[in-house]
Amino acid sequence: GDSVTQMEGPVTLSEEAFLTINCTYTATGYPSLFWYVQYPGEGLQLLLKATKADDKGSNKGFEATYRKETTSFHLEKGSVQVSDSAVYFCALSEVGGNEKLTFGTGTRLTIIP
Amino acid sequence: GAVVSQHPSWVICKSGTSVKIECRSLDFQATTMFWYRQFPKQSLMLMATSNEGSKATYEQGVEKDKFLINHASLTLSTLTVTSAHPEDSSFYICSARGWGGTQYFGPGTRLLVL
């Protein structure tokens, strides 16, 4: 079945540091890939997505590129801020059917001033 | 746009009682909604897929008689935890599928069964 493996946390970085959160996936078809973010006390929000190989999703300074050859969708940001502190979830959705999401375990990110 | 609400945001109940959680898409219609359960420091586990006007589709291992789902309109789905027990304590999250297939998530409902 489909699965998503992401970097275990927690991750603690200083403000303005470079961020990478690794995510790899296993899927039978050609899934769409997502990063969701969950800020403290809030629900999940879609951060970015990519629907086919070599697509790059970007939002709020975050980027992730759909790499079919390495089955990866790593999340990156060049300079993190304290406000980026949250839990980040990588997820995939198989195209067709009801497009249900399969999530990774989440990575808690804390940015210190 | 694409706001999903849940009510209540938290609930405490006695063992053996039933609890109903509502999920509403506030500014769009959703023929499909999803219910997830999130354990502390773990990922979201899909419980069931709720389709408007039809029976929900449950994931393997989820008791359909325990977790009753009703999707009576294009903007409302409800999850009822029947005869709740302490092991049902968890964070329940719904999502609604919007235009283009993107899922929009509610803020979650924290259930504590005493």
Side-chain angles (χ1 to χ4, degrees):
Chain A
D2 296 343
S3 67
V4 176
T5 302
Q6 67 181 100
M7 177 175 163
E8 285 193 24
V11 174
T12 303
L13 295 173
S14 297
E15 204 166 19
E16 299 183 0
F18 184 87
L19 168 71
T20 300
I21 301 178
N22 290 336
C23 171
T24 57
Y25 67 90
T26 302
T28 52
Y30 300 95
S32 294
L33 301 174
F34 306 83
W35 277 100
Y36 281 85
V37 57
Q38 186 177 30
Y39 297 104
E42 299 183 18
L44 272 74
Q45 301 174 25
L46 178 64
L47 181 59
L48 54 83
K49 69 176 183 180
T51 57
K52 61 183 188 298
D54 299 325
D55 268 1
K56 177 186 285 187
S58 61
N59 186 26
K60 300 181 180 180
F62 291 90
E63 292 183 341
T65 301
Y66 190 143
R67 301 286 188 202
K68 186 169 179 288
E69 63 276 14
T70 54
T71 62
S72 66
F73 193 55
H74 304 320
L75 182 69
E76 296 182 336
K77 186 173 185 181
S79 177
V80 292
Q81 305 300 314
V82 172
S83 57
D84 294 327
S85 299
V87 181
Y88 292 81
F89 291 93
C90 186
L92 70 80
S93 171
E94 289 278 13
V95 176
N98 62 12
E99 299 184 29
K100 63 183 184 181
L101 287 166
T102 300
F103 285 90
T105 53
T107 301
R108 181 173 298 277
L109 173 66
T110 302
I111 308 300
I112 54 177
Chain B
V3 177
V4 176
S5 70
Q6 278 184 244
H7 178 79
S9 57
W10 62 270
V11 57
I12 301 173
C13 69
K14 293 182 179 180
S15 187
T17 60
S18 294
V19 175
K20 180 184 284 189
I21 302 169
E22 293 185 349
C23 176
R24 294 182 185 273
S25 56
L26 297 185
D27 50 4
F28 67 103
Q29 293 183 332
T31 55
T32 302
M33 292 184 174
F34 302 86
W35 286 96
Y36 296 84
R37 186 172 176 176
Q38 185 180 25
F39 293 98
K41 299 184 179 180
Q42 294 187 29
S43 187
L44 283 74
M45 300 299 296
L46 180 65
M47 299 175 65
T49 302
S50 168
N51 293 300
E52 188 265 338
S54 64
K55 291 183 178 180
T57 302
Y58 290 82
E59 294 300 299
Q60 193 172 12
V62 177
E63 299 175 58
K64 60 181 181 181
D65 295 329
K66 173 76 170 174
F67 300 99
L68 299 178
I69 291 172
N70 184 279
H71 193 158
S73 78
L74 289 172
T75 59
L76 173 65
S77 176
T78 61
L79 168 69
T80 301
V81 183
T82 62
S83 187
H85 288 93
E87 58 267 29
D88 298 324
S89 299
S90 192
F91 194 52
Y92 293 88
I93 301 172
C94 75
S95 70
R97 192 171 71 187
W99 185 84
T102 298
Q103 286 188 37
Y104 298 93
F105 285 79
T109 297
R110 189 163 300 282
L111 170 64
L112 177 61
V113 184
L114 302 177

